Amino acid sequence: GGKGGTGKTTVAANVASLLAKKGKRVVLVDCDLQFGDISLTMDLEPKDTIVELVQDRNGITIENINSFTMVHNTGASVLCGPKSPEYAEYVKPEHIEKIVDTMRPYYEYIVLDLPPAFNDVSIAALENCDQIILVYNMDILSLKNAKVCISILDQLQQKDKVKIVINKSMTGLIKAKDFEKMFEMPIYAQLPYDAKSATLSVNKGQPLVIALPRSEISKGLDLLTEKIIKDN
């Protein structure tokens, strides 16, 4: 997401959880190194994080990665972000590249939750991804930020990987077709607006698809996950 509050972490956590529940080998990595919320969203209290992994003297190996990740009760492996923003500087772009490359043979899906900004680490992550899912809302600020974000991705030669997901979809002045017309690409998925369920999920410390599996937003997330599986 090109701005905060779009729900990118919610989408990442729930898609990873659903992939795991569907029997896929999946790892979720918090790459929002200053203000990542994956551990909170998944109700995890990590002893070690990505910072300890990149500093370990034995290097970035699959054995080390496994020892620094936590297994969520859905079955998804989770590599949590730093415990405090000042530790973000220890994680370099080459670390992200090495982590992803090392994980590839062992996981069917690697889900990276990125910050709402472009920096050296997030660009390294984007360049090493097979798909980039941009999460936006139906408002003018999201439309403007999506335009800037896709323009930058085009300059980075990453635009062909982009899929747009509309979160908090609701009737208003801005419509899905406005995104499609501006970017000349179809909307990949739409997730309904359900602030009550989303807030309850966060307060419970559980992904929506676990806390409220029958809610409309959970059904939308399941459809998105099925689409991701089908396309891969």
Side-chain angles (χ1 to χ4, degrees), residues 134 136 140-155 164 179 182-183:
L134 298 180
Y136 287 106
I140 193 68
L141 292 178
S142 277
L143 193 60
K144 175 249 183 186
N145 276 277
K147 183 177 181 181
V148 173
C149 194
I150 290 177
S151 174
I152 293 171
L153 289 169
D154 192 21
Q155 294 172 41
I164 296 177
F179 283 86
M182 178 173 285
F183 306 118

Side-chain angles (χ1 to χ4, degrees), residues 87 89 94 168:
Y87 296 122
E89 64 184 48
E94 56 269 25
K168 307 176 189 177

Side-chain angles (χ1 to χ4, degrees), residues 89-108:
E89 64 184 48
Y90 291 106
V91 184
K92 307 298 183 185
E94 56 269 25
H95 292 142
I96 297 299
E97 185 174 354
K98 178 67 174 176
I99 289 168
V100 172
D101 284 346
T102 303
M103 286 178 168
R104 281 190 195 279
Y106 300 94
Y107 292 97
E108 294 171 272

Side-chain angles (χ1 to χ4, degrees), residues 1 47-48 56 98-99 105 107 121 132 155 163 165 173 176 178 188-189 193 195 202 212:
K47 176 184 175 184
D48 296 310
D56 191 87
K98 178 67 174 176
I99 289 168
Y107 292 97
V121 169
I132 299 170
Q155 294 172 41
K163 291 179 170 61
V165 168
L173 291 175
D178 294 319
Y188 192 64
Y193 180 69
V202 170
L212 299 160

Side-chain angles (χ1 to χ4, degrees), residues 7 11 135 165-170 189-194 216-217 219-222 224:
V11 172
V135 181
V165 168
I166 300 294
N167 189 31
K168 307 176 189 177
S169 180
M170 57 192 296
Q190 292 189 61
L191 304 172
Y193 180 69
D194 188 351
E216 289 303 309
I217 190 168
K219 293 175 184 176
L221 286 160
D222 189 67
L224 168 60

Side-chain angles (χ1 to χ4, degrees), residues 208-226:
L208 272 159
V209 296
I210 305 302
L212 299 160
R214 296 182 181 179
S215 64
E216 289 303 309
I217 190 168
S218 290
K219 293 175 184 176
L221 286 160
D222 189 67
L223 288 172
L224 168 60
T225 306
E226 287 292 343

